[in-house]
Amino acid sequence: MTEVELKQVAESQRILELLFSYMPKIAAERQMDNLLVLMADLGRSIVSADRCSLWLVDEESGELWTKVAHGVSELRIPQNAGFVGCSVITGEPLLIKDAYQDSRFDRRSDEKTHYHTTSVLTVPLMDSMGKVMGVFQAINKQGESQVFSEQDLERLKLTAVYSAKTVESAMLTAELEATQREIIHTLGEASESRSRETGDHILRVAEISKKLAEYLGLPREEVERIHLAAPMHDLGKIGIPDAVLNKPGKLTDEEYAVMKTHAEIGYKMLCNSKRKLLRFAANVARSHHERWDGRGYPLGLKGEDIPLAGRICAVADVLDALSCHRCYKAPWPEEKVKEEFVKMSGSQFQPEVVDALMAHWDDIYAPYRVGAEEPDSGDGRR
Ligand code: C2E
Ligand code: SIN
Ligand code: SIN
Ligand code: FE
Ligand code: FE
């Protein structure tokens, strides 16, 4: 083999090793901004550039955005700016030897960052419909040559194909999850829309449940699951007649019996779902009025037989009910609410959950303290 051939083989091996080291990291990463940083790092190593970024088209704002490093906030530029914008418009790559000799160069970012760009490589990323979804940009070739080669361009193109697929599927996942969240939220709101409580009640119960779960030290996924399911705890109120649901005064025993069916109704509405999260929410709906001492409803479960998310949601739900205006009651003063939880610890509520509430009272109670006005005042729907 000639010296050149040997160099080529070594270079191919280096790239193969790079790919093998990055692929598992990329495959495991679900957070879009972290993905962009990882793939930019990969691109930079593959073509030996000083800098590399992966820009994505933001359809809504007409901008390109990127993330250059973990923890750094995102950068945004107009969709038609510089070499990157040029690749977005034409769908073609660019191989530039000296940026300052090219009229398409946008000097503003150099000026802003006190950097001197010379050689540039841009490669568009196509989505599965053949539309440009972003651009890889590598800047300043490192090593002897100082300029990118045709081979660098080919390699960045291959990386771009792989990156486009990864980004596209990450976007789909994000979209799906956002859709799921929205459905869950809409369902939760539907349960409140008929009663005079505002939809804010479900948001606050979700937030409080999440905080309690965090303070109890539950794993991140469990915290998130509880956060997502809590808004649906009163979904079954959809099945309660208006005369009972919105009755201004105290319920009669019969009316209260009707009201109590909301826990089981909510469960039945969700328990046959194909979605695991909704089946989880079904159990929260059914268990949020159980009591630690076994005197709750609908099943009269006791202690740890009650699903943990239900035990947490019970505390959050009552905290919100006592602190806010309801059609049947005025908000309680803070001290009285606090006393009630101390009193009910071990009977209505699991002591550990009440302990978590007490230990972080100021943080959890904060939403009820803003101004003199209590959150549920007025009949304003958002
Ligand atoms: P909600 O308003 O979301 O209240 C949730 C839970 O907070 C109640 O569950 C109860 O455990 C607690 N809670 C609310 N107000 C008080 C209170 O003044 N004192 C005490 N100790 N706890 C309170 P519960 O009792 O199973 O009620 C479930 C739902 O039934 C309530 O949800 C509300 O929509 C309705 N409800 C309960 N009592 C009445 C009432 O007297 N009149 C009307 N119109 N509705 C009521
Ligand atoms: C009732 O027994 O009528 C409901 C009591 C409550 O508000 O907790
Ligand atoms: C889901 O991800 O919601 C479905 C999984 C399952 O059915 O357990
Ligand atoms: Fe309820
Ligand atoms: Fe509630």
Side-chain angles (χ1 to χ4, degrees):
M1 266 197 264
T2 67
E3 198 182 326
V4 173
E5 282 170 335
L6 277 173
K7 255 191 176 165
Q8 285 287 338
V9 170
E11 178 64 1
S12 301
Q13 250 162 13
R14 185 183 73 88
I15 287 173
L16 209 57
E17 273 164 30
L18 270 174
L19 288 173
F20 278 129
S21 70
Y22 271 92
M23 290 311 162
K25 282 190 251 175
I26 289 175
E29 183 57 63
R30 294 175 68 231
Q31 205 76 36
M32 182 66 80
D33 43 6
N34 294 344
L35 264 180
L36 294 186
V37 175
L38 268 176
M39 290 189 295
D41 287 350
L42 173 62
R44 187 184 58 169
S45 306
I46 282 185
V47 299
S48 303
D50 182 42
R51 293 182 171 184
C52 183
S53 37
L54 177 49
W55 296 85
L56 291 185
V57 176
D58 180 342
E59 296 281 352
E60 269 171 45
S61 67
E63 290 172 313
L64 291 158
W65 70 278
T66 190
K67 187 102 178 173
V68 284
H70 302 272
V72 174
S73 64
E74 62 185 50
L75 300 175
R76 289 187 166 261
I77 58 170
Q79 208 180 104
N80 55 6
F83 298 128
V84 176
C86 191
S87 271
V88 170
I89 292 161
T90 63
E92 297 294 328
L94 289 172
L95 206 167
I96 310 289
K97 289 191 171 64
D98 185 356
Y100 282 84
Q101 301 300 313
D102 196 304
S103 61
R104 294 168 296 191
F105 182 52
D106 183 349
R107 303 170 183 219
R108 284 173 296 182
S109 62
D110 261 14
E111 283 159 10
K112 224 184 274 172
T113 57
H114 304 291
Y115 188 76
H116 189 84
T117 302
T118 50
S119 51
V120 177
L121 198 55
T122 64
V123 171
L125 271 71
M126 306 294 188
D127 67 17
S128 52
M129 307 296 282
K131 205 161 156 288
V132 179
M133 62 188 296
V135 176
F136 252 127
Q137 175 174 248
I139 298 175
N140 288 1
K141 173 79 176 179
Q142 300 299 97
E144 294 150 35
S145 67
Q146 302 279 312
V147 290
F148 295 105
S149 63
E150 284 292 335
Q151 205 166 25
D152 289 330
L153 177 58
E154 289 311 312
R155 286 180 179 139
L156 198 59
K157 273 188 186 169
L158 287 177
T159 313
V161 171
Y162 172 74
S163 300
K165 289 204 191 320
T166 308
V167 168
E168 207 174 11
S169 80
M171 277 177 172
L172 276 177
T173 307
E175 170 85 15
L176 255 170
E177 283 174 358
T179 308
Q180 244 182 309
R181 264 164 234 253
E182 199 177 308
I183 290 170
I184 286 165
H185 196 84
T186 308
L187 284 176
E189 284 211 319
S191 66
E192 299 293 335
S193 66
R194 284 187 42 242
S195 68
R196 274 187 244 137
E197 298 154 22
T198 70
D200 292 349
H201 165 61
I202 66 154
L203 276 183
R204 287 192 305 268
V205 172
E207 282 311 309
I208 296 165
S209 300
K210 180 188 179 189
K211 283 185 174 172
L212 288 172
E214 267 166 2
Y215 291 137
L216 285 165
L218 301 190
R220 200 172 62 85
E221 299 79 50
E222 186 67 8
V223 171
E224 188 52 21
R225 214 180 359 193
I226 291 173
H227 188 207
L228 285 171
M232 288 180 280
H233 72 275
D234 273 339
L235 185 60
K237 283 187 180 173
I238 285 177
I240 306 300
D242 245 17
V244 175
L245 191 64
N246 290 319
K247 181 174 172 176
K250 199 157 168 58
L251 301 177
T252 64
D253 287 351
E254 290 95 69
E255 286 165 339
Y256 191 45
V258 170
M259 184 50 116
K260 283 166 145 182
T261 61
H262 80 277
E264 191 67 28
I265 293 172
Y267 173 76
K268 292 234 168 81
M269 288 173 75
L270 296 166
C271 70
N272 292 320
S273 171
K274 285 198 178 72
R275 308 296 321 174
K276 203 168 157 185
L277 181 63
L278 293 184
R279 295 198 305 272
F280 179 78
N283 283 308
V284 177
R286 180 158 62 173
S287 60
H288 77 282
H289 287 295
E290 297 290 359
R291 290 172 52 117
W292 185 248
D293 60 14
R295 291 169 47 230
Y297 62 88
L299 302 178
L301 297 179
K302 191 173 173 174
E304 290 186 358
D305 287 345
I306 307 164
L308 175 58
R311 284 177 253 152
I312 289 171
C313 187
V315 169
D317 188 35
V318 175
L319 176 62
D320 195 68
L322 297 182
S323 306
C324 288
H325 168 86
R326 287 281 193 273
C327 63
Y328 60 96
K329 61 167 279 299
W332 290 16
E334 180 173 349
E335 276 315 306
K336 204 177 154 205
V337 177
K338 226 171 165 174
E339 281 165 22
E340 184 74 5
F341 278 100
V342 173
K343 197 173 95 192
M344 293 305 197
S345 178
S347 53
Q348 186 168 359
F349 308 115
Q350 178 178 7
E352 286 79 4
V353 183
V354 175
D355 290 347
L357 172 63
M358 290 303 154
H360 302 276
W361 179 267
D362 284 335
D363 175 43
I364 295 173
Y365 192 79
Y368 302 108
R369 224 177 258 147
V370 277
E373 219 169 309
E374 45 91 14
D376 260 357
S377 68
D379 56 358
R381 307 213 56 78
R382 283 166 311 132

